[in-house]
Amino acid sequence: MEERKAYRIGIDVGGTFTKAVLVDDDSHEIVGRYSTLTTHAGARGVAEGVVEVFRRVLEGSRVAPEDVVFLAHSTTQATNALLEGDVAPVGIVAIASGPAAALAAKQSRIDGIELAPGRTLHPGHRFIKGEALNEAAAAEAVRALQEEGAKVIVATSAFGVDDGSDEEAIRDAATALGLPVTCGHEISKLYGLATRTRTAVINASILPRMIETADMTQRSVREAGIAAPLMIMRGDGGVMDVNEMRRRPAMTMLSGPAASVAGALMHLRISDGIYFEVGGTSTNIGVIRNGRPTVKYARVGGHETYVSSLDVRVLGIAGGSLVRVADGRLVDVGPRSAHIAGLAYSAFADASVFDGATVELFQPGPGEAADHVAIRCRDGSRYAITTTCAANALGYARPGMHAFGNPDAARAAIAPLAALLGVSVDDAARRVLERATDKVIPVVEQLVAEYGLDHDQSMLVGEGGGAGALMPFAAERLGLRHVISPDAEVISSIGVALALVREVVERVIADPTPEDLRAIRREALDAVVRLGAAAETVEVTIEVDAHSQRVRATAVGASEMRARSHRKRLGEAEARAVAAESMGVPLAGTAVTGSTDGMRLIQAQIDGRHSLRAVDLDGAIRIQRSNAAVERAHASDALAALKAQWNEANEMFLVLGAHVIDLSGIAGRDQAMAVARTELDGVPADTTVLLVAARK
């Protein structure tokens, strides 16, 4: 009997379009796609569009619902609700005991949070001394806030991260009155009452709306016959199940950019690099490091929160950026785009339309300089010269790229601009791209330095329809390799389909002991399994920041249903081919220098250094370093080998089966030994462990 195929569905809910892709779970090949306008005004809100695209993509591909093992969607709903001020009124009930009471009463009273011009969230506030907290006092505080208009309650206590029972008492009182509740200890385990309470308020304000959408979407998914859990994209690049989203909707903030990064990680199998999500008006730039996107805490209304989101730098330069000219010289490119100015790109016109065309300088909007370039044609039509046009004129935008248009038309349109500048068409186009990438290059160099990337090993990863306009030229100037996603226009949907389940646990621990590290690792693992990950697929990375005394455990794993499905595994020759392509060397120049039952370490000599790639059985590159030594050990003597190697390396990794134990986020040897000891607990003594010591 032939084994049935398994499929994954990823749905990206954008501001304009909702796009779905159907991906073969084994090969990651796209077997279907569908797009519809996002249904903001639908009877069921954005859920209506989500349901439509997953139904249509299944019908169009003739795939049965029961063959879907993974279904996930990103959402702009949380972000848009905050940006538009479309939130529920929130009431805070704070609790503290003893000497901390006076300070806690003050810190838990959150000032207005400006969400949009003219729209500020003003939470109500009640304080109860811990000594006076009982069922009646809790009910009285909640009822008073409800009478003031609160539709959702935040329960926050001074030491809720250590003992959440006071917050749970408030939850019981609010639930009895029919009000949804966010408890501070469920949002973050970090100390800092004001920031933790503020984060809980933001979460609570979007809770009713997000619960309603989740309920409608899940009901429709089940009616369609899909048994796979419904997963939601998080802002830090992972997914969580819909039940967790009902508790912590704020985690979905900024899940749009996160979806495209997940696409780069899984679809392109990138380990280290700088990703560009290039649209028409702006470009998001961020870092993929050790196979994970870099994250930070999001800010809302100028205030810090404990919501993790991607560390993204946003630039006002993209595929549609307009050229600006003054006094016969090119003075800028962007930030105004052709889309906002209502002009079509020259690169997508017919070349003949530009016969006899002239340069016209115009003012795109009130208060803007009248130095933006349009090309006025004989028939009165006007076109823009953009970075996309310049890239087409010089051959950087190539067939197959979303940005590829008509190079002859681009050159014909740039000709009158070149005459105005007194240079050739090639020189004029090059000046446009140079000016545009002058804004990009410092950001890339800053990120390379900030995150300690190997410059010669870093890859620029282009996503979004405008990637071909900026990426190839920027890579050439930087001397870096680059790749543009073949399905750039649906990369976010692909990222949602292939994303892994993720959870982060953070604690403030001074001088953490091995027991502390073991406990936080277990908590993170248990949490991600509760969210739908298969325990045997989970990897936990621990970072220790001695300065802030924060310990962070990040757990990532594949969904339970995906882990049970059949997976094709790469052979040695295929793994070497993946590594050779990544390193830019002939296949014959590579060698396997270590292997486990789930990973191959492949090296090549490049400029006198031992370049390394760790390739898993799915073909993903898990470690990518320009200079590294590999040592083989058994589990019984791995700790001794790690101790001996520690001072010789800038970064250290252990490879155990299919898992990479990343110790690069730990500065102290003793703490690294403690983490490694935790990972090796219970492992048979004769199990092969590979040590990777990376050097700058």
Side-chain angles (χ1 to χ4, degrees):
M1 180 177 175
E2 184 179 352
E3 187 171 353
R4 297 186 68 165
K5 278 184 168 289
Y7 298 91
R8 302 166 69 85
I9 295 178
I11 301 172
D12 179 49
V13 183
T16 304
F17 290 101
T18 296
K19 300 177 181 179
V21 295
L22 184 69
V23 178
D24 186 302
D25 186 52
D26 185 36
S27 67
H28 289 181
E29 176 188 1
I30 300 173
V31 296
R33 62 184 78 193
Y34 188 81
S35 176
T36 189
L37 289 172
T38 299
T39 53
H40 296 290
R44 293 179 293 171
V46 297
E48 197 168 300
V50 170
V51 171
E52 180 184 356
V53 291
F54 84 70
R55 285 183 184 274
R56 293 294 187 93
V57 79
L58 285 175
E59 292 170 1
S61 306
R62 297 184 179 180
V63 168
E66 57 267 27
D67 292 335
V68 176
V69 298
F70 184 90
L71 171 65
H73 72 82
S74 70
T75 175
T76 59
Q77 195 167 18
T79 304
N80 289 347
L82 294 170
L83 290 175
E84 296 164 8
D86 185 12
V87 295
V90 177
I92 300 168
V93 180
I95 314 102
S97 303
L103 181 60
K106 181 179 179 181
Q107 290 182 337
S108 62
R109 188 182 294 275
I110 303 301
D111 294 333
I113 303 172
E114 185 178 7
L115 303 175
R119 297 197 178 188
T120 301
L121 177 60
H122 292 286
H125 184 267
R126 288 293 184 279
F127 180 78
I128 304 174
K129 285 189 175 183
E131 297 83 356
L133 178 62
N134 54 38
E135 188 175 327
E140 182 183 351
V142 171
R143 191 176 295 107
L145 290 168
Q146 185 179 34
E147 290 172 356
E148 291 176 5
K151 301 296 184 185
V152 59
I153 297 298
V154 163
T156 184
S157 61
F159 298 102
V161 296
D162 301 318
D163 180 359
S165 59
D166 287 349
E167 294 178 1
E168 293 293 347
I170 304 302
R171 182 202 296 278
D172 292 342
T175 301
L177 292 170
L179 295 178
V181 184
T182 291
C183 290
H185 74 273
E186 294 178 327
I187 298 300
S188 174
K189 297 294 187 179
L190 291 175
Y191 294 115
L193 181 61
T195 302
R196 191 169 70 250
T197 303
R198 185 184 304 114
T199 307
V201 166
I202 290 167
N203 187 82
S205 72
I206 57 177
L207 197 59
R209 181 175 175 182
M210 297 295 282
I211 288 175
E212 182 182 17
T213 298
D215 289 345
M216 288 188 291
T217 305
Q218 188 172 43
R219 186 164 54 249
S220 299
V221 166
R222 296 291 171 258
E223 290 171 357
I226 294 178
L230 176 61
M231 310 297 286
I232 312 296
M233 195 78 198
R234 294 161 51 122
D236 60 8
V239 290
M240 59 185 179
D241 74 3
V242 69
N243 293 322
E244 186 64 17
M245 193 274 273
R246 288 187 176 96
R247 287 199 315 127
R248 297 189 294 166
M251 296 298 295
T252 68
M253 287 165 49
L254 305 175
S255 65
S260 66
V261 176
L265 284 168
M266 301 299 292
H267 191 47
L268 299 177
R269 295 170 175 172
I270 300 298
S271 172
D272 281 41
I274 308 286
Y275 62 85
F276 285 60
E277 186 182 20
V278 187
T281 302
S282 63
T283 295
N284 296 326
I285 303 179
V287 172
I288 295 169
R289 176 68 166 155
N290 296 336
R292 302 188 302 274
T294 56
V295 299
K296 64 177 182 179
Y297 294 125
R299 296 182 70 85
V300 177
H303 301 287
E304 183 179 312
T305 72
Y306 284 149
V307 175
S308 294
S309 65
L310 298 188
D311 183 5
V312 174
R313 316 294 163 87
V314 182
L315 299 180
I317 190 77
S321 298
L322 292 172
V323 174
R324 300 173 65 181
V325 170
D327 300 324
R329 59 188 181 87
L330 192 150
V331 295
D332 206 354
V333 178
R336 178 63 69 195
S337 70
H339 308 78
I340 303 301
L343 298 178
Y345 293 27
S346 301
F348 298 110
D350 188 279
S352 62
V353 76
F354 299 111
D355 291 341
T358 58
V359 171
E360 179 180 289
L361 301 183
F362 73 103
Q363 182 182 27
E368 295 187 72
D371 59 4
H372 294 71
V373 171
I375 301 300
R376 171 75 69 174
C377 302
R378 284 181 173 178
D379 63 4
S381 60
R382 295 194 312 163
Y383 289 83
I385 293 177
T386 67
T387 54
T388 299
C389 304
N392 274 274
L394 293 175
Y396 288 99
R398 297 186 177 92
M401 293 182 184
H402 197 71
F404 180 71
N406 183 344
D408 291 337
R411 294 182 65 83
I414 291 173
L417 172 64
L420 175 65
L421 299 176
V423 299
S424 68
V425 169
D426 282 358
D427 284 343
R430 184 166 294 277
R431 289 186 185 187
V432 171
L433 293 182
E434 285 175 348
R435 188 68 185 221
T437 53
D438 280 347
K439 301 178 181 182
V440 170
I441 289 172
V443 175
V444 173
E445 292 176 335
Q446 178 187 358
L447 288 171
V448 168
E450 185 175 331
Y451 286 102
L453 299 176
D454 283 339
H455 186 277
D456 58 345
Q457 295 291 294
S458 299
M459 176 180 286
L460 302 186
V461 182
E463 303 163 350
L470 292 179
M471 178 70 64
F473 191 82
E476 181 181 281
R477 291 187 67 187
L478 286 161
L480 296 174
R481 294 176 299 120
H482 75 280
V483 61
I484 294 178
S485 302
D487 298 288
E489 73 281 6
V490 290
I491 192 68
S492 292
S493 298
I494 296 170
V496 176
L498 300 179
L500 298 174
V501 186
R502 177 184 174 100
E503 183 58 298
V504 178
V505 175
E506 293 181 293
R507 290 284 188 280
V508 175
I509 308 174
D511 298 320
T513 65
E515 290 72 24
D516 291 329
L517 298 175
R518 188 177 294 111
I520 196 170
R521 181 190 184 279
R522 170 52 60 182
E523 184 177 353
L525 191 153
D526 290 346
V528 81
V529 169
R530 284 197 303 272
L531 297 186
E536 66 273 16
T537 71
V538 175
E539 288 185 2
V540 181
T541 301
I542 295 178
E543 300 166 272
V544 180
D545 187 332
H547 177 69
S548 66
Q549 298 184 336
R550 288 183 182 179
V551 180
R552 175 187 293 123
T554 303
V556 179
S559 66
E560 183 74 40
M561 291 192 72
R562 178 173 185 258
R564 290 201 303 266
S565 67
H566 172 70
R567 299 288 296 161
K568 179 183 176 182
R569 301 305 187 185
L570 262 66
E572 181 176 310
E574 294 170 302
R576 286 177 59 206
V578 169
E581 181 182 2
S582 173
M583 291 186 279
V585 299
L587 181 64
T590 66
V592 176
T593 55
S595 64
T596 67
D597 57 3
M599 198 86 62
R600 294 182 179 89
L601 272 57
I602 300 165
Q603 293 189 275
Q605 285 275 352
I606 302 176
D607 297 331
R609 293 180 296 175
H610 300 279
S611 188
L612 176 136
R613 300 292 185 271
V615 182
D616 69 16
L617 299 188
D618 286 332
I621 296 172
R622 304 294 304 282
I623 307 173
Q624 173 178 315
R625 291 295 179 269
S626 63
N627 193 26
V630 176
E631 180 177 345
R632 184 181 182 276
H634 286 122
S636 58
D637 54 13
L639 290 174
L642 172 62
K643 187 175 183 179
Q645 286 273 7
W646 183 259
N647 292 329
E648 303 299 319
N650 295 98
E651 298 175 296
M652 186 70 74
F653 304 86
L654 301 183
V655 178
L656 179 62
H659 296 296
V660 173
I661 303 164
D662 181 359
L663 302 175
S664 62
I666 303 173
R669 185 188 68 180
D670 292 344
Q671 290 175 339
M673 295 284 289
V675 171
R677 186 177 291 109
T678 298
E679 295 285 351
L680 293 167
D681 276 352
V683 175
D686 61 350
T687 302
T688 296
V689 179
L690 301 176
L691 286 79
V692 176
R695 300 175 174 88
K696 291 293 183 185

